[in-house]
Amino acid sequence: ATRTKSAEVERADSGIGQMPARKWRNRASETLSSLQAWEAHRPCTDCGERDLPGETDVQNCNQRRADLCEKCRKRRTERKESVLEFVNTEASYGEDLRIIKEEFYLPMQAAGLLSQEQLQGIFSNIQELIDLNENFLEILQEEIDQAFDQGDEDLMTVCIGEIFLEFVNMLPAFQTYCLQQSSSVNMLNALEKEKELLRIFLNVSQNDNTALRRMNLRSFLMAPLQRVTKYPLLLSRIIKATTEYHPDHGSLREAKSRIESHLEHINMKTKQEGNTWTLRSFRQDSKKKREVINIEMRETALKTVGWLREETRFVMEGSLQLAQPPDGQWVKKGSKTLKFQNMQVLLLVNMKRVSESSLESAEPGPVKDAVLVLIRDKNNGKFHLLREPLRLSNCIVSTDPDCDDTFELIEIRREAFVFRDSDRARTHHWFRQIRRYSRELGSWKKRRNALPNIMISTPHTRP
């Protein structure tokens, strides 16, 4: 018994002692309490706030969602619902397009109820809209499936805005359909009164075909108009539920702005053509007004060059100042002696398609052609070309260190132009882009030898 007591005393006194040991235990207890308090109020992974409720059973709670405050949990749920709504409504819209083709267009074509010209007048570019919807929906569904496969139950990795911007070429297809909608309905009404067999077919289809949900052809023909006007609302819901730190936040806002600008452009076109109907109006701001103007200029440029829209890329566009010097010695006299006029300039590149799909977003094909389209400012509400487009395969682009606020473009055996932007850095950017594509096309050596201006040979030429 004596040995046991002495041993106990030795263990109590050896090393730390009673008082330090008590302080150590108290400090350890305080540290543990502090850690538990921090864990109970750890910052939210989405917003950084520290208002998380304490978790009583962490094993029964998804760890990813356990690191979120109640507000962010609700926001993620709303975002997931909005993303799924976008995809599901796109699928429903595609089903309506399929009904238009398979339940109306093909039977009417097979029965010879209408001529091909009449079918084209009623159904417009419905096949183009079907192809676009199938490609768009396929990419959306792949993103959803991939997110679920990776354990992303909240679909935070799905970027609707980025995907929408990749398929922005579908907006002109909607425009074509919307602008023809009024004439399509008028033609259908006239043909239905004129052709009894057509009237019988449409009545029987509506009443007996269960796939139509007792809806008539006119209702289905409104589907593209309803869809294109619903995009801004759906995107707004996703934006509201997406934190500004999310990588897709900026793309979502850009996508919403682009679709609203196209809708305003369609409304403007319908008024110009004398139609009384308009799509849903949106509040205009300066950015949307500029985008509407850009859409008009792109359409003018495409009509001028005659390229396919899916093979065309708009590299740069904007306002430049242009002058046409009387000789090649303007540099010695100085650019201040030139008379500049404001001009809208678009740099278009025609790319070879790498596959049959016009929406293939893989590596772009080689450059077939590149042009510079010069458009005067609006006169009587319309844009007018200054001249025919400048084909860069026939042009030399050069600059001189003594006039670094301008650059010169010479069309071989024809004219010379001097360009500048109000911003010097942007002038240099225009120069680099135009020179790049002029060098990729045609025979550079042949064009270089034909250049009458010696500026291109100067050792100080900008690289």
Side-chain angles (χ1 to χ4, degrees), residues 37-172:
W38 182 90
E39 179 67 19
H41 299 282
R42 60 194 177 279
C44 171
T45 56
D46 276 8
C47 65
E49 298 294 334
R50 293 177 176 268
D51 58 348
L52 290 115
E55 297 291 346
T56 57
D57 190 359
V58 178
Q59 295 180 350
N60 295 333
C61 183
N62 187 303
Q63 185 61 36
R64 184 174 298 177
R65 296 186 65 83
D67 293 339
L68 298 173
C69 65
E70 190 63 29
K71 180 180 178 181
C72 290
R73 289 188 192 184
K74 183 178 179 181
R75 177 185 292 172
R76 283 199 176 193
T77 301
E78 292 175 353
R79 186 181 188 279
K80 178 181 179 180
E81 292 174 352
S82 300
V83 168
L84 292 177
E85 181 186 13
F86 188 99
V87 179
N88 293 336
T89 52
E90 186 70 22
S92 299
Y93 161 66
E95 180 63 20
D96 287 343
L97 294 180
R98 187 196 63 80
I99 289 176
I100 293 174
K101 178 181 178 181
E102 298 183 1
E103 306 297 335
F104 290 105
Y105 181 89
L106 293 179
M108 291 164 66
Q109 183 184 48
L113 295 178
L114 297 176
S115 66
Q116 192 61 39
E117 183 179 355
Q118 291 169 335
L119 289 171
Q120 179 66 29
I122 293 175
F123 295 97
S124 187
N125 61 329
I126 195 68
Q127 184 59 52
E128 182 183 12
L129 294 176
I130 291 174
D131 295 338
L132 289 166
N133 168 261
E134 290 178 351
N135 284 278
F136 188 36
L137 186 59
E138 181 181 0
I139 299 299
L140 289 172
Q141 196 59 56
E142 286 179 0
E143 289 291 315
I144 298 293
D145 295 341
Q146 183 177 359
F148 282 133
D149 291 342
Q150 294 176 350
D152 179 15
E153 297 296 328
D154 294 328
L155 303 181
M156 295 298 291
T157 58
V158 177
C159 296
I160 296 293
E162 292 183 4
I163 300 173
F164 193 96
L165 291 177
E166 288 179 6
F167 284 81
V168 75
N169 275 344
M170 66 182 175
L171 298 181

Side-chain angles (χ1 to χ4, degrees), residues 439-453:
R439 285 182 171 180
E440 288 185 3
L441 298 165
S443 173
W444 173 252
K445 182 177 180 180
K446 178 181 178 181
R447 287 180 288 136
R448 184 186 180 94
N449 294 336
L451 179 65
N453 196 328

